Amino acid sequence: MSRREAHLVGGTHPEAVRLAPVALAMREAGLLEPVLLAAGPHATMVTEALGAFGLEPDITLQAEPSADGRAEALTAMIRELDELWSVRTPAAVIVQGDTTTSLAGALAAFWRRIPVVHLGAGLRSGDPGSPFPEEGDRRLAAQVAALHLAPTPLAAMNLLDEGIPARDVLITGDTVVDATLAVAGRKPPFENPDVAAARVAGTNRLILVTAEPHDRILAAVRDLIDRYPDIDVILPGHPDPEARSQVDTALAGVERVTVTDPLSYPDLSRLLSEAYLLLTDSGDLLAEAPSFGVPALVLRDVTERVESLYAGCAELVGPDTALIVSDASALLNSRVRRDAMTAGGNPYGDGLAARRTAQATAALLGLAPAPEAMPVTPHIADAILNG
């Protein structure tokens, strides 16, 4: 190879989405050769996610799902990665977030003395049991990483509080912002026919709902539809047949509600860009929504994405029917109030996180100067410090 390799390890759809802009930025910079690895039992989902960016895995590791549980899955992935890196040793390994795949990649690289770059480092809920096991996984990855790329100032502060040297921490922003801006900006035609049909008219305000099925959340959707004749709801269904059946039963016959199969990343990004309001339990969508000026109601009791709450672009309502309806109604009744929630910008990024990641990885290897950290607006800095 004429250039040293950086291996980007992804095992889930969200990981692939965040790694794709980094691979593209590395190719553009020309200092390192990005090699995309699909590891773990969900290689097909990784391939589908990368396809939205014109990419595909360079290497696919065939770890099979284990009936024996997470320990066996982690062991199998570490073994496969170790075997690969024993014969094709990269200059650096980039892992993202807090999944079993990212932990396997971090440990396998560390044991091979390969520098580990942790993308999306520093997220903390403060509760080891929630989310479980993610909170523990990301803390473990931090112990072996050589470079910690924090999406936000708060994430960086978490790392410094845990004793990570400041020289090893860089605020880059979240590369999921780069990803969604790039994909939604192309305004691709909807792939899902149900979504395409629902958005033909495009005159009603759109509420996008992405959450684990919950009777109280579904009851709130019915209530909002009854109250507001000028809204449409699109709810991507759950891949689990029982969960999908629960949603279909609860919303059967409810007009202006479209329940779909799980959506592709381009469809979901475009819908988010067109939404008036987001109801979600997804941390990824919380990071993306402010870039489109879309406020969110968080359908969980706790979230590690607290920057959204501090910056005012999201409200924590949990799976509480009355609170969901009340808070959503306040935003539906006042466009000014709705727009004010995201007026301060996106605390998670400015669309340049992938470039900073590519340069920071090259700098770790002595191939480039270190990049400047993501600028933080006074509004967001004040919100975080006073949160």
Side-chain angles (χ1 to χ4, degrees), residues 13 48 190-195 208 210 234-237 259-269 271:
H13 186 282
E48 290 175 354
F190 288 115
E191 300 170 12
N192 185 287
D194 294 329
V195 172
L208 179 61
T210 66
I234 294 182
L235 196 158
V259 180
T260 74
D261 292 332
L263 297 179
S264 68
Y265 187 70
D267 275 4
L268 193 59
S269 291
L271 279 177

Side-chain angles (χ1 to χ4, degrees), residues 38-203:
H42 304 296
T44 300
M45 295 186 350
V46 171
T47 300
E48 290 175 354
L50 293 177
F53 303 87
L55 299 170
E56 59 183 23
D58 297 294
I59 299 172
T60 299
L61 302 179
Q62 300 293 339
E64 295 297 326
S66 173
D68 296 325
R70 186 170 178 271
E72 289 297 325
L74 180 66
T75 302
M77 279 190 278
I78 290 176
R79 183 182 300 114
E80 286 196 78
L81 290 167
D82 184 69
E83 289 174 358
L84 170 66
W85 291 335
S86 70
V87 296
R88 186 174 176 175
T89 308
V93 166
I94 300 178
V95 298
Q96 196 286 316
D98 50 24
T99 66
T100 302
T101 306
S102 61
L103 181 58
L107 291 174
F110 175 72
W111 291 333
R112 283 274 167 192
R113 296 185 180 274
I114 302 168
V116 175
V117 178
H118 191 192
L119 185 63
L123 271 65
R124 300 289 185 266
S125 72
D127 180 359
S130 180
F132 181 86
E134 289 85 352
E135 180 75 3
D137 286 352
R138 53 193 173 222
R139 289 175 179 266
L140 289 170
Q143 301 309 303
V144 298
L147 178 61
H148 308 257
L149 302 181
T152 66
L154 181 58
M157 288 168 60
N158 289 335
L159 293 165
L160 298 178
D161 287 345
E162 292 170 10
I164 304 295
R167 65 178 180 275
D168 298 334
V169 178
L170 178 71
I171 303 169
T172 58
D174 194 327
T175 59
V176 78
V177 176
D178 304 38
T180 195
L181 288 173
V183 171
R186 297 198 301 263
K187 289 196 175 293
F190 288 115
E191 300 170 12
N192 185 287
D194 294 329
V195 172
R199 297 302 294 159
V200 166
T203 55

